[in-house]
Amino acid sequence: MKKNVLLMLIFVSLMANAQTPVGTWSIQPKIGINFATMTNDDSAETRVGLVAGAELEYHATPLLSISGGAIYSQQGADGNTNDIKGTIKMDYVNVPVLAIFHVVDGLSVKVGIQPGFLINDKVKVSVNGVSAEVGLKEAYQAGGYNADIASVDFSIPFGVSYEYRRFQFDARYNLGLGKAISIFGESTKHSVFQITIGYKLSL
């Protein structure tokens, strides 16, 4: 019995020491991969892209942190029609603001709001091995459509992360709220699942 109590006290002590002190700041450079597509488009397939940036975190309580970041995110969608392959490239600088709930040591649940600022929009089309890229709006105009391309997007990011020896593995889904592309009253929104690895540095 005494041995079990002693082991429990040692375990609790280690858990307490492993927690980041309350009132401190940390920054986490991160890099990973996006699996992005767009809603309300039957031809949309997953575009695999890069996600990279950094997040700043403030440890408010033992159970809660607040973070904000700047993340470069390659979004959009792939599509195939007969012999034509196309990729809608919509790249953003996203600014996630998250509440981070520390469930157990190392494991956290995250949720928040994320504005995103469009920095690149193009369509790449490949036919029989020949490829060309044009601006997204120009591509729709060439097809006879007047499309509205939103320069600012909003989404709700939520997910989980696990930290081990300052390395943090993060799985996150960004649920698009904003109308990314609008045509004739119809609109598409972003749907992005991302996996990243980061390294937490104390400030």
Side-chain angles (χ1 to χ4, degrees):
M1 180 66 181
K2 290 182 178 180
K3 184 178 181 180
N4 291 337
V5 172
L6 180 60
L7 288 174
M8 185 177 293
L9 290 173
I10 292 173
F11 177 75
V12 171
S13 177
L14 289 173
M15 289 281 286
N17 290 332
Q19 292 176 350
T20 304
V22 173
T24 60
W25 294 82
S26 62
I27 190 169
Q28 180 191 160
K30 60 194 308 180
I31 190 168
I33 190 169
N34 269 352
F35 300 92
T37 188
M38 306 190 77
T39 63
N40 299 331
D41 187 343
D42 294 336
S43 64
E45 299 178 1
T46 300
R47 179 195 181 194
V48 179
L50 173 71
V51 56
E55 292 181 324
L56 184 67
E57 182 177 345
Y58 174 70
H59 302 267
T61 76
L63 300 178
L64 175 66
S65 296
I66 305 296
S67 74
I71 308 292
Y72 170 69
S73 181
Q74 293 182 338
Q75 298 173 199
D78 281 345
N80 296 310
T81 304
N82 298 325
D83 294 329
I84 301 175
K85 296 182 179 180
T87 300
I88 295 177
K89 298 181 176 181
M90 301 184 74
D91 301 338
Y92 292 82
V93 173
N94 289 329
V95 184
V97 179
L98 302 170
I100 305 172
F101 303 94
H102 304 286
V103 181
V104 296
D105 186 48
L107 181 65
S108 300
V109 175
K110 305 179 178 183
V111 65
I113 188 71
Q114 176 176 270
F117 302 93
L118 186 65
I119 59 172
N120 178 55
D121 62 289
K122 293 182 179 180
V123 175
K124 180 179 180 181
V125 179
S126 300
V127 183
N128 297 325
V130 180
S131 299
E133 276 191 355
V134 296
L136 186 54
K137 196 174 186 68
E138 289 77 9
Y140 279 109
Q141 288 175 342
Y145 301 101
N146 185 21
D148 182 21
I149 313 299
S151 59
V152 180
D153 182 62
F154 287 92
S155 61
I156 296 178
F158 57 90
V160 297
S161 66
Y162 183 75
E163 183 178 335
Y164 178 73
R165 294 187 176 180
R166 293 186 176 270
F167 286 97
Q168 189 168 107
F169 304 90
D170 190 289
R172 190 178 302 179
Y173 178 69
N174 297 328
L175 175 64
L177 300 178
K179 299 176 180 179
I181 304 173
S182 299
I183 306 173
F184 298 140
E186 298 292 330
S187 61
T188 61
K189 301 177 182 180
H190 290 292
S191 175
V192 183
F193 178 72
Q194 62 184 214
I195 300 173
T196 60
I197 181 172
Y199 189 78
K200 185 176 288 187
L201 301 168
S202 299
L203 298 178

